[in-house]
Amino acid sequence: MSKNILLSIIIPVYNEEDVLCMFMKRVSEVIKKIHNIKAEYIFINDGSTDDTLINLIALKKTYPQIKIIDLSRNFGKEAAMTAGLQYANGSIIIPIDADLQDPPELIPEMISKWQEGFDVVLAHRSNRDSDSFLKRFTARCFYWLNNKISTPHIPDNVGDYRLISRPVVDALNTLPESKRFMKGLFAWVGFKTTQVDYVRDERAAGESKFNGWKLWNFALEGLTSFGTVPLRIWTYVGALVAGISFILTLKILIQVIFLGIDVPGYASIMVAVTFLGGLQLIGIGTLGEYLGRAYMETKNRPIFIVRKIL
């Protein structure tokens, strides 16, 4: 490997004042031990309301390799990561969270895989016991469903923590969409990929900023970002319901005309109306998700706005 390979470490932060010092101390110790690697630390302050920015400015005095991208408000993690990718200068780039659930000690192994010729080195969570049962279960359901209905395939139990080479970043930076699902975009651009396994730790400090509602919306974003199968499903559901309705209609006609059986109407009508009404609302909601995405994309607004670079 040639000398002075620049590694860009991208760290989106939102209200992470409690972990920044621990993070920098631990990551910098890891980087010091890697031969012929120098690092820049790109922190994207995603509209934090605590002392995150103040602490970053203080840390910069100790670690001059830090670059702070201060966004004008909270745009969300996907936008913050996009900002980091656009401002990264390294030949290799690693996005990582500041909470230290993803161990920085994995970085040397990632770099070794890159030296072997891989453009993407995924950090695969071989054990997620640090997460709650509900989070693990819903994650499995999401990956299974997403990979059934969408292209490309998103690797199971792989987050944003990974190594990507400069060609991969350049490809990602050319993608124009503003509603970004980064796990899908990472998979979509392709390139030669491998993975390394690790066990996810508990958060070093602070609390997760993703609650159940945010995770649900994030999952919907992923399911509608890379395929139209959810729309196509409703064509088949409609055909199935119409077929069943036709059969029931024939049954009622036979009972009334040929057998003289009086068919009570109130209960059956209420069931039919509420059932079909529910199906229609779900179908309209699915259509609305796609229309909403198209509507937001036509506005062509920037993904993020930078207030200041420090």
Side-chain angles (χ1 to χ4, degrees):
M1 183 174 64
S2 60
K3 292 183 179 180
N4 297 326
I5 296 297
L6 179 61
L7 164 65
S8 296
I9 301 179
I10 298 173
I11 314 105
V13 288
Y14 175 66
N15 292 347
E16 296 285 7
E17 61 179 358
D18 296 328
V19 298
L20 295 176
C21 291
M22 288 183 284
F23 174 83
M24 276 307 303
K25 181 178 180 181
R26 188 164 158 185
V27 174
S28 61
E29 287 298 321
V30 171
I31 299 302
K32 286 178 184 177
K33 298 176 183 178
I34 306 175
H35 185 58
N36 289 336
I37 288 288
K38 65 176 183 178
E40 62 172 0
Y41 304 92
I42 304 175
F43 285 89
I44 303 92
N45 180 38
D46 190 25
S48 297
T49 56
D50 61 0
D51 289 335
T52 294
L53 181 59
I54 295 173
N55 290 357
L56 285 174
I57 293 172
L59 275 173
K60 188 174 172 64
K61 296 177 182 178
T62 305
Y63 303 96
Q65 309 96 320
I66 287 178
K67 179 190 294 184
I68 304 168
I69 311 298
D70 186 29
L71 302 186
S72 62
R73 63 169 176 86
N74 179 250
F75 287 89
K77 185 180 179 182
E78 308 298 282
M81 192 181 305
T82 300
L85 292 173
Q86 291 189 11
Y87 282 92
N89 298 310
S91 299
I92 48 178
I93 295 88
I94 296 179
I96 186 173
D97 293 337
D99 57 19
L100 292 174
Q101 284 193 279
D102 301 323
E105 290 76 15
L106 205 62
I107 292 176
E109 186 176 355
M110 288 179 166
I111 293 175
S112 294
K113 292 292 184 182
W114 171 71
Q115 289 176 288
E116 292 175 12
F118 292 99
D119 290 294
V120 180
V121 184
L122 306 174
H124 175 256
R125 301 164 184 170
S126 59
N127 186 307
R128 296 187 60 165
D129 288 344
S130 61
D131 294 331
S132 66
F133 170 79
L134 181 60
K135 188 172 182 178
R136 295 197 303 270
F137 175 75
T138 53
R140 284 198 300 270
C141 292
F142 167 76
Y143 285 118
W144 178 84
L145 180 59
N146 184 85
N147 290 330
K148 287 291 184 181
I149 68 175
S150 299
T151 303
H153 175 85
I154 297 177
D156 294 352
N157 292 318
V158 172
D160 298 321
Y161 186 33
R162 65 189 66 206
L163 180 148
I164 50 180
S165 65
R166 169 51 55 183
V168 179
V169 175
D170 290 341
L172 288 167
N173 287 337
T174 63
L175 302 181
E177 59 256 56
S178 59
K179 299 286 287 181
R180 301 172 78 83
F181 179 64
M182 292 306 299
K183 289 182 179 65
L185 294 180
F186 283 136
W188 186 87
V189 295
F191 290 89
K192 190 177 180 182
T193 302
T194 188
Q195 70 179 37
V196 294
D197 294 332
Y198 76 103
V199 177
R200 205 166 195 229
D201 298 326
E202 299 281 352
R203 281 183 65 94
E207 297 180 353
S208 174
K209 308 308 181 294
F210 276 95
N211 54 33
W213 180 246
K214 288 184 178 179
L215 287 172
W216 168 254
N217 287 321
F218 185 65
L220 285 180
E221 191 77 24
L223 293 173
T224 56
S225 290
F226 289 89
T228 59
V229 172
L231 289 174
R232 194 175 303 136
I233 285 172
W234 288 102
T235 302
Y236 298 107
V237 170
L240 177 63
V241 172
I244 294 173
S245 299
F246 179 73
I247 293 171
L248 288 176
T249 301
L250 290 178
K251 179 177 179 292
I252 291 171
L253 288 174
I254 291 171
Q255 286 179 328
V256 174
I257 297 173
F258 297 102
L259 303 179
I261 299 175
D262 184 24
V263 180
Y266 179 76
S268 59
I269 289 175
M270 286 301 297
V271 170
V273 168
T274 54
F275 175 68
L276 292 175
L279 285 181
Q280 288 173 343
L281 289 174
I282 295 172
I284 291 171
T286 304
L287 181 62
E289 286 290 328
Y290 283 90
L291 286 176
R293 291 184 62 85
Y295 172 67
M296 295 305 296
E297 293 293 343
T298 58
K299 289 177 178 290
N300 201 27
R301 289 174 179 166
I303 302 169
F304 58 88
I305 297 174
V306 177
R307 187 181 75 87
K308 188 184 295 185
I309 300 177
L310 301 169

